[in-house]
């Protein structure tokens, strides 16, 4: 995929209306710090357009990145951020739910989980939410570079059984080596 243009076009907070778009949207959900913004940067071939941080809870809004005037990448706020109060966590949850329910042009939802660890209850809940809104989540197993190659299949199996997804597409990905990126580009093209 040749990236001719990539820009942060719209940022919405918990009380904003969901923007109405004509271009297809691809959304990225997952626990805080799992690597959503890093993946979005890799897709856009930009180092730091989407803000990343080693401190969880960086993305607290829904951020829409326009790519090539052809599609939007939608960076959703991460859940499971321990310093967030209950109220705040609940309002983010409602915002994400409202987005999944409200967008008319959402083509695909990517659920990111760290390849090193078994998904938690909130990951399983997110998976169910996505399915309940009629989408088939694509699982991105992030931080692939952090495990030994021999562990990959075993970890993917662990993700699959914990999330309870038999047939979901699973793409192991590393923002460091960019492994998995071509498969993600292929998905965008197949949704055209
Ligand atoms: N080694 C390695 N580090 C990664 C990878 N992806 C993300 N990271 C690191 O993990 C940390 C969190 O990444 P972000 O992309 O900011 O995570 P996020 O999911 O956007 O986090 P929130 O905005 O808090 O929800 C950063 O320090 C990244 O550099 C990866 O594939 N490999
Ligand atoms: Mg982020």
């Amino acid at each position: 995929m040749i990236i001719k243009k990539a820009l942060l076009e719209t940022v919405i907070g918990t009380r904003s209306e969901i923007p109405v778009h004509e271009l297809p949207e691809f959304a990225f959900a997952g626990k805080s710090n799992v690597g959503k913004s890093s993946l979005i940067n890799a897709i856009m071939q930009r180092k730091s357009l989407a803000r990343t941080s080693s401190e969880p809870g960086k993305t607290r809004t829904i951020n829409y990145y326009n790519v090539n005037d052809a599609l939007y990448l939608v960076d959703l706020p991460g859940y499971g951020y321990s310093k967030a109060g209950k109220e705040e966590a609940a309002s983010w949850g409602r915002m994400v739910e409202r987005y999944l329910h409200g967008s008319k042009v959402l083509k695909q939802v990517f659920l990111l989980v760290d390849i090193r660890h078994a998904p938690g209850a909130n990951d399983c809940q997110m998976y169910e939410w996505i399915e309940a809104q009629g989408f088939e989540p694509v699982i991105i197993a992030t931080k692939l570079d952090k495990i030994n190659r021999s562990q990959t299949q075993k970890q993917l199996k662990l993700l699959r059984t914990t999330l309870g997804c038999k047939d979901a597409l699973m793409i192991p990905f590393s923002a460091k080596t960019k492994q998995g990126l071509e498969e993600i580009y292929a998905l965008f093209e197949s949704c055209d």
Side-chain angles (χ1 to χ4, degrees):
M1 189 171 179
I2 298 167
I3 308 295
K4 289 171 284 188
K5 167 180 171 177
L7 60 91
L8 174 58
E9 197 175 278
T10 312
V11 174
I12 68 163
T14 39
R15 279 186 283 262
S16 320
E17 292 291 317
I18 303 293
V20 177
H21 284 143
E22 289 189 1
L23 298 175
E25 293 171 357
F26 295 85
F28 298 84
K31 203 178 268 176
S32 189
N33 217 39
V34 71
K36 296 175 295 297
S37 301
S38 301
L39 168 62
I40 288 175
N41 282 327
I43 294 169
M44 299 189 296
Q45 300 164 20
R46 297 290 189 272
K47 276 213 174 74
S48 53
L49 184 53
R51 280 218 241 132
T52 62
S53 168
S54 52
E55 234 175 82
K58 189 78 201 170
T59 315
R60 293 161 178 240
T61 45
I62 299 184
N63 298 345
Y64 291 78
Y65 295 89
N66 177 326
V67 176
N68 290 349
D69 288 324
L71 56 91
Y72 288 100
L73 302 176
V74 183
D75 196 356
L76 296 172
Y79 47 78
Y81 168 51
S82 57
K83 283 200 196 123
K86 258 194 187 154
E87 258 316 296
E88 200 178 6
S91 77
W92 293 348
R94 283 195 297 275
M95 172 162 68
V96 170
E97 209 165 13
R98 209 152 55 84
Y99 169 71
L100 292 177
H101 188 70
S103 170
K104 301 268 188 285
V105 287
L106 179 58
K107 296 289 176 206
Q108 190 101 68
V109 185
F110 295 89
L111 177 61
L112 281 67
V113 286
D114 191 320
I115 195 160
R116 294 171 296 173
H117 312 296
N122 44 14
D123 296 308
C124 296
Q125 188 193 33
M126 191 68 216
Y127 186 87
E128 283 167 22
W129 270 3
I130 299 167
E131 275 198 317
Q133 297 302 334
F135 297 98
E136 226 176 89
V138 172
I139 310 299
I140 307 280
T142 65
K143 309 196 183 185
L144 177 61
D145 58 279
K146 292 208 183 210
I147 61 166
N148 214 304
R149 193 183 278 233
S150 62
Q151 298 288 302
T152 308
Q153 286 315 317
K154 181 176 140 251
Q155 290 307 107
L156 290 178
K157 202 170 163 197
L158 175 68
L159 301 190
R160 205 180 274 286
T161 46
T162 314
L163 290 171
C165 52
K166 279 205 198 78
D167 310 314
L169 179 59
M170 244 179 205
I171 304 177
F173 174 77
S174 164
K176 212 168 167 186
T177 67
K178 310 291 185 281
Q179 198 178 326
L181 190 56
E182 287 305 322
E183 278 176 86
I184 296 167
Y185 284 153
L187 276 179
F188 295 156
E189 271 147 34
S190 71
C191 284
D192 270 354

